[in-house]
Amino acid sequence: MASEGLRDEENQPLVKPNNTTGRSSYFGHVGVYLENLIVQNLGYKTRAEKPGLLARASIAMQSSVDREEAILAGKKAVEAVLAGETGKMVAFRRVVGETYQIETFLVAIEEVMLYEKKLPPHFINAEQNGVTPAFIEWCRPLIGEPLPEMISFN
């Protein structure tokens, strides 16, 4: 698996932008780039897939927290429109505490549109190729229900 933001040793994107609009650049599919390298250099038949799309589109992979927060965002958006708010989106902010809670607020679309919010450095491991236990702990409540037991074939 390779990130769409994959960069080389000089911190340049592996895939050149295929479209730049205003403040944002849209990069091509890094999987296709890597697929072409394999075909050209090794001669192996290959294809690139986007596994993230399947997880985002599968009802079977939906977390209860994600579902509840999506419904909440929709409700808050309708309330905002009925109150005459325009040009804004519903955002979430975590409430500090022992249990996972969020609060909603409206943010002007110009403040977030086409901006990239990166993970804080303390969530990236020292090798820059994975995440830290702090990130896993931060993510855990978003999963919702307990993770299923994995089958062992040992």
Side-chain angles (χ1 to χ4, degrees):
M1 187 148 8
S3 166
E4 63 189 28
L6 197 59
R7 294 177 176 271
D8 63 18
E9 300 83 21
E10 286 82 41
N11 200 29
Q12 296 301 309
L14 282 182
V15 180
K16 303 288 184 244
N18 58 21
N19 183 13
T20 300
T21 304
R23 302 182 302 249
S24 187
S25 294
Y26 299 93
F27 294 89
H29 185 349
V30 72
V32 172
Y33 169 82
L34 296 173
E35 171 187 322
N36 288 333
L37 281 180
I38 292 168
V39 170
Q40 292 166 3
N41 294 306
L42 302 175
Y44 295 140
K45 182 179 178 182
T46 185
R47 73 172 180 219
E49 300 289 345
K50 288 186 172 184
L53 179 61
L54 297 174
R56 289 191 305 266
S58 172
I59 194 74
M61 304 298 280
Q62 181 185 63
S63 90
S64 59
V65 173
D66 200 28
R67 180 178 56 249
E68 291 163 13
E69 289 181 357
I71 292 168
L72 177 61
K75 286 180 181 178
K76 294 296 182 179
V78 169
E79 289 172 7
V81 168
L82 293 175
E85 298 281 358
T86 62
K88 298 190 178 166
M89 66 171 260
V90 176
F92 296 129
R93 179 184 303 122
R94 277 202 185 181
V95 176
V96 178
E98 295 207 13
T99 60
Y100 173 75
Q101 294 178 23
I102 53 108
E103 61 185 11
T104 61
F105 62 100
L106 297 178
V107 62
I109 197 71
E110 295 84 14
E111 293 180 29
V112 292
M113 177 180 69
L114 301 178
Y115 283 107
E116 176 182 56
K117 185 173 182 179
K118 296 184 178 183
L119 280 178
H122 71 279
F123 283 162
I124 306 294
N125 69 5
E127 295 79 18
Q128 301 287 301
N129 64 358
V131 296
T132 62
F135 175 76
I136 294 169
E137 196 58 35
W138 182 86
C139 279
R140 194 168 304 283
L142 302 175
I143 296 169
E145 47 281 322
L147 292 173
E149 291 291 324
M150 301 306 291
I151 299 172
S152 174
F153 294 101
N154 293 335

